[in-house]
């Protein structure tokens, strides 16, 4: 009896089969064909059964889910615990916005219970960041957004004012933290303020007695109007003030004989961060102890130019300073003959905006800060200060570093120092015994890139060192190192980091390394960050290492009327979750702990 296998030869060629072979094959395929049909029918039946089971399962699952939520653990959390969870949902690096995508507004959109708890929790509504603008039309220059008429802008802003009032009304008697941001304005003359801005100021003034923290990033006329509305008696608990006031452009600074200072008179002020555009008006007028009770100030940040007289007046008045950040200019030939005691000063950030370094000597010489642990020194990019040259001795900060007997953190713009002066700074005894954090920065304008780098990383490579008292090793206690705008070779960098990985050596082990290169990474260049991590693992240590190369900037634009606008050109987005509303650096607890202050 024939089998299909008997005809295998015909499947391997293209010969014409005989009639007998064709008949035999057709007869032999009847059974398998019937089997296939039966299998297809069974599969179809099973598919139908599976579909019915799936539909049945979905119905049962929906029913289970519908009632299972009753036993969800989140429903059994007491309101006071839920409130604490809600508080941790809010941003900590800035005030929350009115956006529906972040707490506390987001919490009101989950369910009626959460909404009730959120609305009945005053502390959730005691902080707010307000994005505002003047009532002018918005051009259609932003990709994806059409032009917006001034009438529409006005309507949006007034609605925002009403929402702000309702928001702050929910805060009960809690101290308030309010930040207000206006986009940069370019006007040529003083004009009456628009009604939306007036409404905004009147709204926040309703709660001025509870201002604890106030942050203003506003045009000059808005700031002056707010000051004119204030009363000295209402700002009793204002403890932190940030003010960035923008002048009118171009060349139309508002001249004020005696600038308004009601905000600066709060008796509870401890932290001040200001940048005021008044020309020919020194801080000395503000700091007059008869006007401003600044003896309790612990943190002072001045982001505008500060004359020698202003600086001396400030330091003499604020004897309780813990941190000071000053931009110094050398107007006049004032020399300080007295010593200014600052027993609590722990960190001093100085930006020199003078064309001469010699006039700064007296300031650095007069400061007596026995507990100073953090010095940050930089040269303003537009000061006109020359880069290093053969006869340039560098900024006069060296004596200040020498007298900081307990210095832990040092940040300097290295391109303004000669190699000899830079090494002398790193060799001071206090750096040898205490310095554990060194940041070698470059000028913000990258002016230094046309001259040789005065810093040689080879100087920090550790050879055989018997003990910490051996002066042949620079900075034996160095744990955190950051080098910016550098062209150091990968081999030198690896040798430096590796030489400070030995746990058995008296030299401290590196904990953090940040290197920002000035050159683009080559395609065939090895991944030095991975190599450093590999060597650290082999040495049994952990290093927080960051290696960066230049990359093009990209920007994202959103609705100019969005409440998620944080500050100039920056919006609240998932990739920018840590965007802050204040553009100037300030000392934080984390920064102090990183430097072992």
């Amino acid at each position: 009896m024939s089998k299909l296998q008997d005809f295998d030869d015909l499947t391997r060629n293209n010969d014409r089969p005989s009639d007998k072979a064709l008949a035999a094959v057709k007869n032999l395929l009847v059974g398998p064909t019937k089997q296939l049909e039966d299998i297809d029918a069974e599969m179809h039946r099973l598919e139908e059964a599976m579909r019915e089971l799936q539909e049945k399962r979905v119905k049962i699952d929906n029913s289970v889910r519908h009632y299972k939520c009753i036993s969800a653990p989140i429903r059994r959390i007491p309101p006071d615990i839920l409130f604490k969870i809600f508080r941790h949902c809010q941003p900590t690096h800035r005030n929350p916005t009115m956006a529906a995508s972040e707490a506390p507004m987001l919490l009101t959109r989950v369910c009626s219970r959460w909404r009730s708890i959120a609305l009945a929790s005053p502390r959730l509504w005691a902080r707010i960041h307000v994005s505002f603008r003047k009532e002018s039309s918005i051009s259609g220059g932003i990709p994806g957004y059409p032009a917006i008429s001034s009438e529409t802008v006005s309507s949006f802003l007034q609605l925002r004012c009403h929402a702000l009032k309702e928001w702050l009304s929910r805060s009960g008697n809690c101290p308030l933290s309010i930040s207000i941001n206006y986009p940069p304005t370019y006007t040529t003359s003083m004009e009456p303020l628009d009604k939306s801005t007036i409404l905004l100021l009147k709204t926040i003034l309703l709660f001025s007695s509870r201002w604890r923290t106030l942050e203003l990033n506003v045009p000059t006329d808005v700031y002056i109007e707010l000051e004119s509305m204030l009363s000295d008696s209402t700002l009793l608990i204002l403890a932190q003030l940030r003010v960035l006031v923008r002048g009118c452009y171009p060349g139309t600074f508002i001249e004020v004989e005696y600038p308004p200072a009601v905000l600066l008179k709060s008796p509870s002020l401890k932290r001040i961060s200001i940048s005021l555009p008044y020309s020919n008006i020194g801080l000395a007028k503000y700091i007059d102890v008869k006007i401003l009770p600044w003896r309790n100030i612990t943190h002072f940040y001045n982001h505008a130019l500060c004359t020698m007289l202003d600086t001396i007046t400030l330091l003499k008045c604020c004897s309780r300073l813990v941190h000071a950040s000053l931009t110094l200019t050398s107007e006049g030939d004032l020399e300080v003959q007295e010593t200014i005691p600052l027993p609590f000063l722990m960190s001093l950030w100085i930006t020199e905006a003078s064309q001469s370094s010699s006039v700064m000597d007296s300031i650095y010489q007069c400061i007596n800060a026995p507990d100073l642990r953090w010095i940050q020194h930089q040269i303003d990019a537009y000061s006109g200060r020359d880069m290093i040259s053969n006869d340039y001795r560098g900024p006069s900060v060296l004596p200040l570093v020498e007298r900081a007997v307990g210095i832990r953190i040092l940040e300097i713009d290295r391109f303004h120092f000669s190699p000899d002066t830079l090494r002398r700074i790193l060799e001071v005894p206090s750096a040898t015994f205490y310095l554990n954090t060194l940041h070698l920065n470059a000028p913000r304008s990258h002016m230094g890139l046309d001259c040789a780098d005065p810093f040689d990383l080879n100087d920090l490579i550790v050879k055989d060192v018997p003990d910490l008292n051996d002066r042949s090793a620079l900075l034996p206690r160095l744990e955190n190192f950051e080098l910016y705008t550098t062209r150091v070779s990968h081999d030198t960098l690896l040798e430096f980091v590796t030489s400070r990985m030995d746990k058995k050596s008296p030299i401290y082990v590196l904990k953090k390394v940040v290197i920002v290169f000035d050159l683009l990474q080559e395609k065939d260049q090895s991944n030095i960050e991975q190599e450093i991590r590999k060597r650290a693992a082999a040495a049994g240590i952990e290093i927080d290492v960051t290696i960066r190369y230049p990359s093009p900037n990209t920007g994202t634009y959103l609705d100019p009327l969005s409440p998620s606008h944080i500050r100039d050109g920056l919006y609240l987005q998932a990739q920018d979750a840590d965007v802050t509303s204040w553009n100037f650096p300030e000392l934080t607890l984390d920064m102090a702990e990183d430097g072992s202050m």
Side-chain angles (χ1 to χ4, degrees), residues 180-191:
I180 297 175
N181 178 82
Y182 275 69
T185 54
Y186 300 89
T187 59
T188 57
S189 62
M190 284 290 290
E191 299 175 354

Side-chain angles (χ1 to χ4, degrees), residues 512-530:
K512 180 178 181 180
V513 174
V514 176
I515 306 294
V516 178
F517 284 96
D518 176 47
L519 299 175
L520 294 173
Q521 184 177 19
E522 299 178 6
K523 291 183 179 180
D524 58 347
Q525 207 165 27
S526 61
N527 190 319
I528 189 164
E529 189 170 323
Q530 289 184 1

Side-chain angles (χ1 to χ4, degrees), residues 132-139 148-162 182-183 185 187 191-200 219 221-222 561:
F132 219 74
R133 63 188 306 122
K134 293 190 175 181
E135 288 182 354
S136 57
S137 59
I138 300 175
S139 64
I148 305 175
S149 67
S150 59
E151 291 79 11
T152 302
V153 172
S154 175
S155 177
F156 266 93
L157 296 179
Q158 293 192 47
L159 285 173
R160 188 158 299 170
C161 289
H162 295 311
Y182 275 69
T185 54
T187 59
E191 299 175 354
L193 286 179
D194 56 272
K195 58 183 180 181
S196 294
T197 293
I198 296 295
L199 181 59
L200 171 67
D221 52 350
V222 176
L561 291 175

Side-chain angles (χ1 to χ4, degrees), residues 92-329:
T92 57
H93 55 284
R94 57 166 173 79
N95 290 330
T97 69
M98 295 183 186
S101 58
E102 71 171 8
M105 288 301 297
L106 179 61
L107 302 172
T108 67
R109 301 163 66 90
V110 176
C111 63
S112 60
R113 179 172 180 256
W114 281 30
R115 178 179 176 83
S116 298
I117 294 174
L119 293 178
S121 303
R123 294 182 67 180
L124 290 180
W125 308 96
R127 299 167 54 224
I128 177 72
H129 174 78
V130 183
S131 173
F132 219 74
R133 63 188 306 122
K134 293 190 175 181
E135 288 182 354
S136 57
S137 59
I138 300 175
S139 64
I142 299 177
Y145 288 92
I148 305 175
S149 67
S150 59
E151 291 79 11
T152 302
V153 172
S154 175
S155 177
F156 266 93
L157 296 179
Q158 293 192 47
L159 285 173
R160 188 158 299 170
C161 289
H162 295 311
L164 173 61
K165 183 178 180 179
E166 182 178 353
W167 180 299
L168 295 177
S169 297
R170 298 170 185 161
S171 63
N173 295 319
C174 294
L176 300 176
S177 175
I178 301 174
S179 53
I180 297 175
N181 178 82
Y182 275 69
T185 54
Y186 300 89
T187 59
T188 57
S189 62
M190 284 290 290
E191 299 175 354
L193 286 179
D194 56 272
K195 58 183 180 181
S196 294
T197 293
I198 296 295
L199 181 59
L200 171 67
L201 298 182
K202 288 182 177 179
T203 300
I204 63 172
L205 282 170
L206 293 174
F207 307 90
S208 60
S209 63
R210 292 195 284 122
W211 292 353
R212 173 69 61 81
T213 299
L214 183 64
E215 179 183 308
L216 302 173
N217 191 339
V218 299
T220 305
D221 52 350
V222 176
Y223 177 72
I224 292 177
E225 182 64 26
L226 175 61
E227 283 275 3
S228 69
M229 295 179 173
L230 284 168
S231 169
D232 294 354
S233 61
T234 62
L235 304 177
L236 299 179
I237 69 169
L238 182 62
Q240 180 170 351
L241 177 65
R242 293 169 171 166
V243 179
L244 170 59
V245 178
R246 297 191 178 100
C248 298
Y249 301 90
T252 57
F253 259 18
I254 302 170
E255 299 294 339
V256 181
E257 181 180 358
Y258 205 101
V262 177
L263 284 171
L264 299 173
K265 294 180 184 179
S266 172
S268 300
L269 269 180
K270 290 189 176 181
R271 292 174 175 258
I272 300 177
S273 184
I274 57 175
S275 179
L276 303 174
Y278 304 119
S279 57
N280 301 320
I281 298 294
L283 275 175
K285 284 191 175 183
Y286 284 102
I287 304 171
D288 185 340
V289 293
K290 296 180 181 179
I291 299 177
L292 304 180
W294 278 13
R295 294 195 179 278
N296 293 323
I297 296 297
T298 59
H299 293 70
F300 183 82
Y301 306 82
N302 181 50
H303 310 291
L305 296 182
C306 192
T307 65
M308 299 281 279
L309 176 60
D310 293 340
T311 303
I312 295 167
T313 307
L314 168 71
L315 297 179
K316 290 171 65 176
C317 174
C318 304
S319 59
R320 295 182 180 273
L321 276 177
V322 174
H323 173 81
S325 177
L326 304 170
T327 301
L328 306 181
T329 182

Side-chain angles (χ1 to χ4, degrees), residues 448-484:
L449 302 186
D450 294 331
C451 62
D453 194 329
F455 173 71
D456 186 354
L457 188 58
N458 285 289
D459 292 340
L460 294 183
I461 295 176
V462 177
K463 308 301 181 181
D464 294 331
V465 179
D467 55 62
L468 285 174
N469 294 321
D470 187 340
R471 299 296 295 275
S472 63
L474 278 179
L475 310 182
R477 289 174 168 79
L478 184 65
E479 294 178 319
N480 306 292
F481 178 72
E482 300 186 13
L483 179 63
Y484 294 85

